[in-house]
């Protein structure tokens, strides 16, 4: 991470917003900026853990998703939808994972227009090993207090729902 800064630059930015006449949006700006910085910190931690496995977080997410699928396979379009990324991103991830022998493409048995992406045994093993490492090194030591986690999930879930990210069932 590097040497901690002597002061919080986001708090400084908030004061600057207030000093420049934008007090009504200073707190939301600071909150959004803090979320963005938090995402950078968490992603960096995750990438450090995944690097020895030869994975990026995007590729790990696809392996993990496939490991949860009933048959270890999903249509590429469904994987794109569930991971909330463009189909082009899934295609790129599948290309890299296939080159590494971790997934394979296969035709859908009943829909000739659909391509399935399926975990190989090596992919399943790597998904398990990398998940174990993430659980031990990142998720069990998130840096969030136990009482804060449920509150964060609720706040961010409300935001995502209101932004149209998902609907309650």
């Amino acid at each position: 991470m590097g040497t901690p800064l002597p002061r919080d630059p986001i708090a400084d930015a908030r004061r600057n917003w207030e000093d420049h006449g934008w007090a009504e949006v200073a707190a939301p700006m600071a909150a959004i900026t803090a979320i963005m910085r938090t995402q950078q910190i968490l992603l960096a931690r995750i990438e450090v853990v995944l690097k020895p496995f030869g994975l990026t977080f995007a590729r790990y997410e696809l392996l993990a998703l496939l490991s949860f699928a009933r048959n270890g396979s999903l249509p590429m379009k469904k994987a794109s939808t569930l991971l909330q990324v463009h189909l082009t991103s899934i295609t790129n991830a599948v290309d890299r994972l296939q080159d590494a022998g971790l997934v394979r493409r296969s035709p859908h048995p009943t829909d000739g227009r659909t391509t399935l992406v399926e975990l190989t045994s090596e992919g399943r093993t790597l998904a398990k090993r990398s998940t174990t490492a993430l659980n031990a090194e990142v998720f069990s030591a998130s840096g969030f207090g136990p009482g804060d986690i449920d509150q964060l999930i609720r706040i961010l879930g409300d935001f995502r729902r209101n932004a149209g990210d998902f609907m309650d069932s």
Side-chain angles (χ1 to χ4, degrees):
M1 275 288 315
T3 305
L5 297 172
R7 294 191 336 234
D8 181 358
I10 296 171
D12 289 347
R14 180 178 180 174
R15 281 188 296 278
N16 284 331
W17 245 248
E18 291 166 349
D19 291 348
H20 283 82
W22 305 316
E24 70 280 357
V25 296
M29 177 283 302
I32 291 167
T33 304
I35 290 168
M36 300 300 287
R37 179 62 185 137
T38 302
Q39 188 268 347
Q40 292 171 337
I41 292 167
L42 293 173
L43 186 58
R45 289 178 185 172
I46 288 168
E47 296 285 351
V48 164
V49 172
L50 292 176
K51 187 174 185 176
F53 297 100
L55 294 173
T56 62
F57 188 55
R59 290 182 211 141
Y60 165 77
E61 284 186 302
L62 181 55
L63 286 180
L65 178 65
L66 292 171
S67 76
F68 296 137
R70 213 172 291 143
N71 298 324
S73 68
L74 286 171
M76 288 185 54
K77 186 170 183 180
K78 181 160 186 155
S80 169
T81 300
L82 292 172
L83 292 176
Q84 297 177 296
V85 297
H86 194 274
L87 187 56
T88 304
S89 297
I90 292 296
T91 300
N92 184 337
V94 170
D95 288 345
R96 301 287 173 98
L97 292 169
Q98 187 169 352
D99 290 347
L102 302 172
V103 300
R104 66 178 149 262
R105 286 180 172 90
S106 60
H108 192 282
T110 60
D111 183 352
R113 300 165 297 166
T114 301
T115 299
L116 297 176
V117 59
E118 177 182 3
L119 272 178
T120 63
S121 60
E122 295 85 1
R124 185 170 300 285
T125 298
L126 189 63
K128 286 179 185 175
R129 288 179 48 230
S130 56
T131 298
T132 298
L134 283 173
N135 284 340
E137 298 177 45
V138 178
F139 302 140
S140 68
S142 69
F144 300 111
D148 296 336
I149 292 174
D150 287 334
Q151 189 174 3
L152 275 169
I153 292 168
R154 182 190 56 74
I155 290 167
L156 297 173
D158 287 348
F159 176 88
R160 292 174 41 240
R161 183 183 314 98
N162 293 336
D165 199 36
F166 67 94
M167 298 182 303
D168 283 330
S169 318

